[in-house]
Amino acid sequence: LILENLARLDALGTPIKVRVPVIPGVNDDAENLEAAAAFLAPLRSIRSVTLLGYHRLGESKYGHLGRTCMVEGTMPPSRERMEEIAARFRSAVLETGIH
């Protein structure tokens, strides 16, 4: 659904700023990253991509909600790893920043 909506926005010429959470062990493998960059690269309306490094600030909230955090204990990606990922997106000619 997200990819379909991005394609629709692009077809309308709507400027798009994409924010991509980077979660180690979930979506930071080469296959996922290459697929994301390959999907975004041909979209004419993409203005920028911002990579959002996973952080652990919300983990304690899951217990209060009676839920299990599926990535509990996952360590945030290092700055070096985020730069490597940004380089993949930049190589697809996408303006990419890190937050």
Side-chain angles (χ1 to χ4, degrees), residues 2 20 23 27-28 47 49 51 53 56-57 99:
I2 292 169
V20 179
I23 306 168
N27 70 339
D28 70 333
R47 297 297 176 256
V49 175
L51 302 175
R56 301 178 67 186
L57 297 175
H99 182 79

Side-chain angles (χ1 to χ4, degrees), residues 1 5 19 24 26 30 33 36 38-39 47-48 51 58 61 63 68-69 73-74 76 78 83 85-86 89 93:
L1 183 59
N5 286 338
R19 294 166 52 100
V26 175
L33 298 171
F39 180 83
R47 297 297 176 256
S48 64
L51 302 175
K61 295 179 183 180
T68 302
C69 178
T74 298
S78 68
E83 288 293 346
I85 294 168
F89 281 83
V93 193

Side-chain angles (χ1 to χ4, degrees), residues 23-63:
I23 306 168
V26 175
N27 70 339
D28 70 333
D29 60 276
E31 184 178 342
N32 273 309
L33 298 171
E34 293 297 329
F39 180 83
L40 296 173
L43 300 180
R44 298 174 315 275
S45 298
I46 298 293
R47 297 297 176 256
S48 64
V49 175
T50 302
L51 302 175
L52 307 170
Y54 172 78
H55 58 77
R56 301 178 67 186
L57 297 175
E59 284 185 9
S60 63
K61 295 179 183 180
Y62 281 86

